[in-house]
Amino acid sequence: MFFDEAKIYVRGGNGGNGCVSFRREKYVPFGGPNGGNGGRGGSVCLVADPGLNTLIEFKKRSHFKAEAGEPGRGKDQFGKWGADWIIPVPLGTVIRDAATGELLADLTAPDQKVVVARGGRGGRGNATFATSTNQAPRLAERGEPGEERWIKLELKVIADVGLVGLPNAGKSTFLASVSAARPKIADYPFTTLEPNLGVVSLDRYESFVVADIPGLIEGAAEGAGLGHKFLRHIERTRVIIHLLNGLSADPVGDYDKIRAELGLFDERLANKPELIVFTKMDLPDVQAAWPQVQRACADRGLEIVSISAVAGQGVKEVLWRIDEMLKTIPPAPVAVEGMAVFEGPSKAEGFRVTRRSEKWYVEGPEVERVISRTNFDYDEAIERFQRILEGMGVMQALRDAGVGLGETVCFGEYELEWR
Ligand SMILES: Nc1nc2c(ncn2[C@@H]2O[C@H](COP(=O)(O)OP(=O)(O)OP(=O)(O)O)[C@@H](O)[C@H]2O)c(=O)[nH]1
Ligand SMILES: [Mg+2]
């Protein structure tokens, strides 16, 4: 089966906790704080690997978790960073957030890389909190949790040239005659069930990629036949070779049908430059039909040539003509919106104070972030936590809401008494 979609779970490693520690040396009373920072958690990244061409790997494995950062230690030792998890994916993989559909990246160049789940920051150790007024801080931060999410991968075949035509037009035969690809060929419709790619090498310097997709029929844009599902594979091709079955009773009528479908699917498909190729010219009936078809196309200003893929006649000419056309059209732009690195939800956002069953709740992404970094085992950390909340306006909001002395205020899973 042609596997071109996958859904995977990715999670960055947690940051290591910061450490509380003090220097202990002989003859040095009151040694200063020397608790090191925790290491950053590893991130999960996807990187475009030209050696791959399917997403089949993700059938076997769908969960990827990067390594956590190590905790900081005494003597100012910082925790080791967690290793990134780098997942190779084929060129042409489009990555979206599975929950929101947001486009995260479109990997179209070799080695292009995107971070899909950042590792958590390491917590700071107490050495960093020393100030002139607090020379022996007894607090450290916890590491932040790594980001986690489900992402959707979608593979788009990136070919320079797309072969379109009705079933049996001879698309696969053409691809087989010009490349090393060996698609299935048979004299019944819908022989091709999944796209085939082939590399055409004209000479040492000129080569391009051709995609053979399943035959299109009337109504394809609405989902009839198989073609619709694969039309998006030719969205990015630069040139279309439109093959007309030489044995058809009405090749020009066939042409118009397919053109109409392309236009219905996407106007941009219909506007791509195309070369019309009349096939199977080794057959006498086809040779007899050719002059009329040629004239009909010429009358409409359409460029058409005839070939026999079986006899290898006219094929080279088609390739050189295509090469010429490709030279006038720049490759599809590599960058699209949303590319590069995904920015985590770290921007300060509002918070909410609510009262539910005798308790107060403070909620919001930024508050949660602060909570995740606070190590509630240390009193000083709790004090610092309160100072940060004060700065964010959370404390004022609680006062405004009328929190009474001795009442419970919940921050995530932590409950503090209001004093
Ligand atoms: N004589 C002759 N037969 C050809 C030529 N090209 C294709 N055929 C035949 O036409 C039939 C269909 O060819 P395919 O290449 O499978 O056609 P297709 O367009 O890929 O068809 P689908 O995959 O079904 O859409 C096969 O029986 C081929 O052998 C040609 O140049 N000469
Ligand atoms: Mg085929």
Side-chain angles (χ1 to χ4, degrees), residues 194-345:
E194 59 192 56
N196 301 298
L197 283 186
V199 179
V200 175
S201 303
L202 276 178
D203 59 25
R204 268 177 63 198
Y205 307 102
E206 307 292 331
S207 72
F208 49 83
V209 177
V210 177
D212 164 35
I213 66 164
L216 300 173
I217 57 172
E218 210 169 351
E222 265 78 61
L226 295 170
H228 170 255
K229 193 172 158 216
F230 299 105
L231 275 175
R232 62 194 172 85
H233 286 297
I234 52 170
E235 264 175 36
R236 294 199 209 183
T237 61
R238 292 185 276 154
V239 173
I240 287 174
I241 300 183
H242 191 145
L243 289 101
L244 300 184
N245 188 347
L247 287 174
S248 163
D250 180 14
V252 181
D254 295 348
Y255 171 78
D256 289 330
K257 271 186 215 154
I258 299 286
R259 292 294 303 175
E261 292 306 323
L262 294 181
L264 285 173
F265 183 78
D266 187 339
E267 203 50 47
R268 279 173 305 177
L269 275 190
N271 291 332
K272 283 188 195 293
E274 74 170 358
L275 179 64
I276 312 171
V277 172
F278 190 69
T279 65
K280 314 189 186 180
M281 274 291 271
D282 51 293
L283 303 173
D285 288 354
V286 177
Q287 289 163 14
W290 167 237
Q292 208 195 329
V293 172
Q294 188 180 27
R295 214 172 314 117
C297 286
D299 287 350
R300 291 168 54 180
L302 299 171
E303 182 178 358
I304 184 167
V305 297
S306 64
I307 63 162
S308 164
V310 167
Q313 164 204 329
V315 173
K316 270 271 173 226
E317 287 79 357
V318 167
L319 298 182
W320 283 111
R321 176 72 189 111
I322 291 295
D323 190 55
E324 225 174 84
M325 290 166 82
L326 286 172
K327 286 209 175 96
T328 65
I329 310 151
V334 166
V336 296
E337 358 98 53
M339 211 188 71
V341 175
F342 162 76
E343 292 298 336

Side-chain angles (χ1 to χ4, degrees), residues 64-79:
F64 300 88
K65 205 180 146 189
E67 198 181 30
E70 284 180 6
R73 275 163 294 147
K75 297 187 186 161
D76 290 313
Q77 296 180 78
F78 282 25

Side-chain angles (χ1 to χ4, degrees), residues 171-172 184 191-192 212-213:
K171 301 177 292 297
S172 301
K184 188 172 166 195
T191 312
T192 301
D212 164 35
I213 66 164

